Amino acid sequence: MDWVEHAIWWQVYPLGFCGAPIRDPEPTSAPRLRRLMGWLDYAIELGTSGLLLGPVFASQTHGYDTVDQFRIDPRLGGEEDFDALVAACSQRGLRLLLDGVFSHVGAQHPDVIRALDEGPGGSTADLFDIDWNAPGGPAPRVFEGHASLVRLNHASERAVQYVTAVMEHWLARGIDGWRLDAAYSVDTGFWARVIPAIRDRHPNAWFLGEVIHGDHSRFVASSGLDATTQYELWKAIWSSIKDRNFFELDWALNRHNGFLAHFTPNTFIGNHDVTRIASVIGSDGAVMALAILLTLGGIPSIYYGDEQGFTGIKEERTGGDDAIRPAFPDTPSELADWGQNVHRAHQDLIGLRRRNPWLVTATTTPLHLENTRYTYRAAARDGSNHLDVAIDIAGTPSLVIKNASGHVLWEWRH
């Protein structure tokens, strides 16, 4: 899968981006997914090579409570709208990754309702993790305490067949792989039963598992997935800048080197589940964080809006994700001017990374380390090239990237 080595994702949460109603009791159906097509050239001009889409399947509210994973959410349109998006991406050489929610489904999924109605001997009973002997009657086991999210029974062959069928259906429709939501909550043996058979029929597909902590290398080896999400590095990048403690980043990069010896993680400084990077460390800090991200090994993703310096704080309440999952205008020309400097920095740094493709598997070595000053060398695995990245937040913040000849490739000062 050579294409993966050059992948830089633009991650989009479609329900938010396209302005779909999230919690309306009777939401209107519309081909809102087509709004994305007006942004594909923007994604290319940014320097990204693919769309990493959040949920697009029929769901109750936010997309992660699915009720039919074989159907496009009516709030986004229909299959013809999805097919048009796939074709438009293909014409531009953009890859397409879909979000597969296979840890759980929405409590209103028809098969959940059928299972509870029919009992343990019913036609869909073994698809879900249900406590048939619970006090007060059968009770589905739920995902992380959310009553609206019913767990699949990952020990059952029925669940293996179901997830395999969903994955293959959309791969056959033209997507390039899957982001597996909450993969950490599913036993790796389940993925090991699903992925190999799909990979046999779709050898160029890429499988990314959402993993928050733990032994990532072991997870990849035992699950058969290609990569995991590097949340530890995400946290270390912004926290080191905010807390003025580059020892944390250095520790995380040492651990990151260990991951890179076994697989290539998905790296990021923002996504649909976390407070915007510019809200955490300001727009200048966000540019510094981006420069770090794009000079490290990994397969990076840029969360839509971060390239414009968007702000937004995640809150633990109903609707607490709305601020970080906003609607975009119909066209890029309608964006405000205040994001231009951050956008330009993204283009410059993505361009730098594309000119140094060996960075995808580069490992780092510290050259100088203090709380507020850190210089690291990102080196090609075969030793043929390197970049030196010097970060200083002791006084006037600055970041300088030099090549192996000592020439400055990119420089930023507050």
Side-chain angles (χ1 to χ4, degrees):
M1 293 186 294
D2 292 343
W3 68 267
V4 176
E5 297 178 3
H6 303 283
I8 299 177
W9 299 102
W10 192 44
Q11 184 187 1
V12 174
Y13 176 74
L15 289 168
F17 183 101
C18 298
I22 302 298
R23 288 173 296 278
D24 289 5
E26 296 182 4
T28 57
S29 300
R32 296 181 177 92
L33 193 62
R34 289 181 181 265
R35 180 181 290 189
L36 266 171
M37 294 171 65
W39 289 85
L40 300 184
D41 291 336
Y42 171 90
I44 292 171
E45 291 166 5
L46 180 63
T48 58
S49 61
L51 292 184
L52 196 171
L53 292 186
V56 297
F57 307 132
S59 71
Q60 296 167 203
T61 58
H62 46 59
Y64 291 94
D65 46 4
T66 48
V67 294
D68 188 345
Q69 290 177 314
F70 292 97
R71 180 166 61 99
I72 298 299
D73 196 305
R75 293 171 294 173
L76 294 174
E79 291 196 358
E80 66 280 3
D81 304 303
F82 179 78
D83 290 343
L85 178 62
V86 171
C89 287
S90 179
Q91 289 168 4
R92 292 165 173 80
L94 284 170
R95 299 287 177 168
L96 187 60
L97 205 69
L98 291 189
D99 206 340
V101 188
F102 302 124
S103 161
H104 51 269
V105 299
Q108 297 304 309
H109 193 293
D111 286 343
V112 171
I113 296 172
R114 183 177 298 112
L116 293 173
D117 285 344
E118 295 179 352
S123 60
T124 63
D126 60 344
L127 181 56
F128 305 104
D129 188 0
I130 298 173
D131 182 356
W132 297 106
N133 299 310
R141 294 183 175 90
V142 300
F143 174 72
E144 297 185 350
H146 299 284
S148 62
L149 305 178
V150 174
R151 293 280 291 177
L152 294 182
N153 176 16
H154 297 99
S156 71
E157 182 60 27
R158 179 68 178 271
V160 170
Q161 294 172 356
Y162 169 75
V163 171
T164 299
V166 174
M167 283 192 183
E168 292 205 333
H169 177 81
W170 296 103
L171 284 165
R173 297 290 288 269
I175 71 167
D176 295 285
W178 289 93
R179 173 197 177 270
L180 303 176
D181 181 70
Y184 62 86
S185 72
V186 178
D187 187 87
T188 55
F190 176 80
W191 302 120
R193 294 166 68 191
V194 171
I195 300 301
I198 299 176
R199 203 184 293 281
D200 285 345
R201 289 184 282 273
H202 302 276
N204 290 318
W206 187 60
F207 300 94
L208 166 66
E210 183 190 19
V211 176
I212 298 176
H213 46 64
D215 189 340
H216 290 241
S217 299
R218 181 178 177 276
F219 190 98
V220 168
S222 59
S223 67
L225 303 184
D226 295 300
T228 60
T229 51
Q230 232 296 32
Y231 269 92
E232 294 177 16
L233 184 61
W234 158 77
K235 195 270 181 181
I237 290 175
W238 64 257
S239 181
S240 294
I241 296 171
K242 182 179 181 180
D243 296 340
R244 301 167 66 82
N245 177 21
F246 283 124
F247 285 89
E248 179 181 0
L249 178 59
D250 184 68
W251 185 92
L253 288 181
N254 183 59
R255 185 162 157 82
H256 190 59
N257 286 342
F259 294 165
L260 288 162
H262 300 282
F263 70 100
T264 309
N266 165 230
T267 55
F268 56 93
I269 54 172
N271 67 24
H272 64 294
D273 276 333
V274 301
T275 292
R276 291 273 183 181
I277 187 71
S279 288
V280 177
I281 52 177
S283 59
D284 288 332
V287 171
M288 181 177 288
L290 178 74
I292 296 170
L293 174 74
L294 293 177
T295 52
L296 301 177
I299 299 168
S301 56
I302 308 297
Y303 185 53
Y304 83 104
D306 281 357
E307 79 282 356
Q308 293 286 339
F310 276 28
T311 57
I313 297 174
K314 178 182 173 67
E315 300 177 1
E316 296 301 326
R317 59 175 178 82
T318 300
D321 292 318
D322 292 356
I324 60 174
R325 301 174 179 181
F328 257 37
D330 288 334
T331 65
S333 64
E334 298 173 72
L335 287 169
D337 292 340
W338 52 259
Q340 288 183 354
N341 289 339
V342 175
H343 183 259
R344 183 69 238 176
H346 276 74
Q347 289 180 312
D348 290 345
L349 287 163
I350 292 173
L352 183 151
R353 187 178 184 90
R354 292 211 169 281
R355 291 189 296 274
N356 295 274
W358 52 267
L359 279 167
V360 69
T361 56
T363 55
T364 57
T365 304
L367 302 180
H368 179 83
L369 176 60
E370 302 176 32
N371 280 348
T372 56
R373 293 186 177 93
Y374 185 41
T375 300
Y376 62 85
R377 174 165 292 173
R381 182 170 290 176
D382 62 3
S384 62
N385 211 336
H386 72 260
L387 298 179
D388 290 340
V389 181
I391 316 166
D392 188 341
I393 55 174
T396 301
S398 66
L399 188 147
V400 179
I401 302 173
K402 295 182 179 180
N403 65 13
S405 300
H407 296 134
V408 174
L409 299 181
W410 191 82
E411 183 174 9
W412 173 85
R413 297 184 186 277
H414 177 61

